[in-house]
Amino acid sequence: RMDLVESGGGSVQAGGSLRLSCAASEYSYCMAWFRQGPGKEREGVATINIGSGDRGGVTYYDDSVKGRFTISQDSSKRMVYLQMNGLKPEDTYMYYCAARRSYCSGLHDADSFNFWGQGTQVTVSS
């Protein structure tokens, strides 16, 4: 079992920034940020392959956040971050950290991730 704990959510005005953090209790191969609105399915925001080497550090983003959000890692601390700049009201969601024990090759469906955090709310006002 892997525990994931998110932090850093909150309320900001449009154009503002937030940095989400996710602390993992164990190492994994790929970690991701998803977001979910009421009554909707979780959608992938960004993924990152953990570590270094050919696949380590590779990132993928949903088109809606490219150029605004940046996913990064500190593998020595088992931490993954999501820096969110230029926030828009449509970015208002519950954000979840996820992990899986295989490398990612893109934005995978939520079903392919085995471990989840409890979520952190991001609210962007206009």
Side-chain angles (χ1 to χ4, degrees):
R1 174 185 171 84
M2 183 186 308
D3 294 322
L4 302 174
V5 179
E6 303 101 333
S7 60
S11 298
V12 295
Q13 290 190 329
S17 298
L18 284 173
R19 186 195 195 207
L20 305 183
S21 299
C22 176
S25 60
E26 301 176 23
Y27 287 103
S28 62
Y29 285 81
C30 175
M31 294 184 70
W33 288 96
F34 283 77
R35 61 190 186 184
Q36 185 175 26
K40 297 185 178 180
E41 294 185 355
R42 290 184 186 182
E43 57 182 39
V45 175
T47 64
I48 185 167
N49 286 328
I50 301 302
S52 58
D54 290 346
R55 286 182 285 186
V58 177
T59 58
Y60 303 92
Y61 295 92
D62 183 76
D63 286 345
S64 65
V65 305
K66 281 181 181 176
R68 300 189 298 122
F69 291 10
T70 303
I71 189 171
S72 62
Q73 61 170 316
D74 184 338
S75 57
S76 66
K77 297 180 181 179
R78 298 193 298 274
M79 296 288 296
V80 169
Y81 307 97
L82 186 68
Q83 178 66 44
M84 304 185 294
N85 299 328
L87 282 161
K88 304 174 181 180
E90 52 263 43
D91 294 318
T92 295
Y93 286 101
M94 184 72 80
Y95 284 73
Y96 295 89
C97 177
R100 69 183 218 173
R101 299 194 190 280
S102 58
Y103 284 118
C104 288
S105 57
L107 286 179
H108 297 282
D109 291 341
D111 289 347
S112 73
F113 287 83
N114 309 104
F115 307 100
W116 292 88
Q118 79 287 352
T120 186
Q121 178 68 37
V122 171
T123 302
V124 185
S125 58
S126 58

